[in-house]
Amino acid sequence: MLGDSLSEGVGDRVDGAWRGWAALLADGLAAEGEETAFLNLAVSGALGADVAGEQARRALAFRPHLASVVVGVNDTLRRTFDIGLLARRLDRVCADLDALGAVLLTACLPDPGRMLGLPPPLARPLARRQRSVNAVVHALSARYGTVHLHLDDRAWTDDRALWSADRLHPGERGHRAVAAGFHRLLADRGLAHGPPPAPEPDRPPPTRTESLLWLATAGTGWVLRRSRDLLPQLLLLAAAELRHRADGTGPLDARADAALAAALEAVAGDRASAQRTGTNRTAVPGTAWAAAPRSASRTTPTTG
């Protein structure tokens, strides 16, 4: 697994560490009597660019049979957001993992503005960015035949029982739902041979006091880190929304659509060129989960 807090397992704490959907899914891949090797390289706060270095190299060295590529929310929260650059990174990682013979897992994700309940001038720019990320993921999913899970569905995002106190990460129930969704899709392809994860939590949920304490410590740190980078840009985006309010947001939507179209066209051109020349490209993954052959011995999940 490469990527950010979703794949690291934030929101599903077991024995003082994050477990998460990927570990739950790994437990249900092998048939009885067999084992799965599982490597988790995900780090909270990682961007598409962050996983392009050591995480990517370690994932390729692991030579996974399955690899998830689920990334982009952190990118939408940064002033440096560039859908074209993100699309090229995601395409390269999908191409390189696909070249190893790995089955890819992808997902489209909800926009953070809706999850946080931000006012429209602040929520619309984030929603516009996340729609672009999801459109790229859909295109890559079709190109590489990935196992794709829809996590931007309103039935998923509106069920608060699935989410942790910070309103951005799934709780244990939510991580179990993600794992069960991927398990079902993999079983349909004959790639999951063990039982699916149980839908109900196996431990009591955090108390309100525990949730407030987490928000006051780790949650406050998250807000402060994002505020230094995102807040000034988000205020500029909100100001642009308000300036266009009288005429509607059509010009802003059109600008985002043009950037997305250019990103998809550039990625398609890069892919065609690589196929013609037989060029091997360096892997630059987004968030990825990796599992080695089912006959391998189980390894301890790692993060970092």
Side-chain angles (χ1 to χ4, degrees):
M1 181 189 304
L2 291 76
D4 60 18
S5 55
L6 174 64
S7 296
E8 185 185 18
V10 171
D12 180 28
R13 185 175 289 279
V14 177
D15 298 329
W18 300 123
R19 176 180 55 181
W21 66 267
L24 292 165
L25 175 61
D27 287 338
L29 290 178
E32 186 176 358
E34 297 182 333
E35 295 183 331
T36 300
F38 169 65
L39 182 66
N40 185 350
L41 302 169
V43 178
S44 182
L47 305 171
D50 294 326
V51 297
E54 183 64 18
Q55 289 188 35
R57 289 189 289 272
R58 291 176 65 182
L60 288 170
F62 194 60
R63 303 190 67 82
H65 282 186
L66 294 174
S68 78
V69 181
V70 184
V71 71
V73 170
N74 284 325
D75 291 86
T76 69
L77 295 170
R78 296 302 180 91
R79 62 180 177 80
T80 54
F81 177 73
D82 183 333
I83 189 58
L85 186 57
L86 181 61
R88 291 191 295 274
R89 287 178 172 140
L90 289 176
D91 183 46
R92 288 198 296 271
V93 65
C94 288
D96 290 329
L97 289 169
D98 182 69
L100 289 178
V103 175
L104 301 175
L105 280 65
T106 57
C108 49
L109 301 171
D111 75 81
R114 187 171 82 220
M115 296 303 300
L116 292 171
L118 297 178
L122 295 174
R124 286 195 197 101
L126 296 181
R128 194 178 289 119
R129 289 179 172 191
Q130 191 60 52
R131 282 196 299 270
S132 295
V133 173
N134 287 343
V136 167
V137 172
H138 280 296
L140 296 176
S141 175
R143 175 180 299 166
Y144 295 101
T146 74
V147 176
H148 185 76
L149 191 62
H150 293 271
L151 297 181
D152 62 340
D153 185 81
R154 291 304 292 255
W156 160 262
T157 58
D158 291 348
D159 186 352
R160 300 309 308 171
L162 297 175
W163 296 91
S164 65
D166 67 3
R167 300 177 65 90
L168 275 177
H169 299 98
E172 180 184 351
R173 190 183 300 273
H175 278 285
R176 287 182 174 277
V178 175
F182 274 125
H183 186 280
R184 181 179 64 255
L185 295 172
L186 288 166
D188 289 344
R189 295 195 185 190
L191 297 172
H193 305 277
E200 296 299 321
D202 57 12
R203 60 200 65 237
T207 65
R208 179 174 178 79
T209 299
E210 290 171 335
S211 296
L212 291 175
L213 180 62
W214 187 90
L215 286 174
T217 54
T220 299
W222 184 91
V223 170
L224 290 175
R225 288 193 300 274
R226 292 300 180 272
S227 295
R228 288 194 296 268
D229 182 80
L230 172 68
L231 188 57
Q233 176 70 6
L234 190 56
L235 291 175
L236 290 175
L237 293 172
E241 294 284 335
L242 293 174
R243 285 197 303 271
H244 286 84
R245 188 172 182 178
D247 301 324
T249 58
L252 297 176
D253 292 334
R255 190 181 307 163
D257 289 343
L260 173 60
L264 294 175
E265 183 177 359
V267 166
D270 289 345
R271 180 66 173 157
S273 176
Q275 289 175 333
R276 286 194 303 270
T277 62
T279 300
N280 292 322
R281 293 178 293 179
T282 302
V284 186
T287 303
W289 171 84
R294 288 183 288 115
S295 59
S297 61
R298 185 171 182 80
T299 61
T300 302
T302 61
T303 59

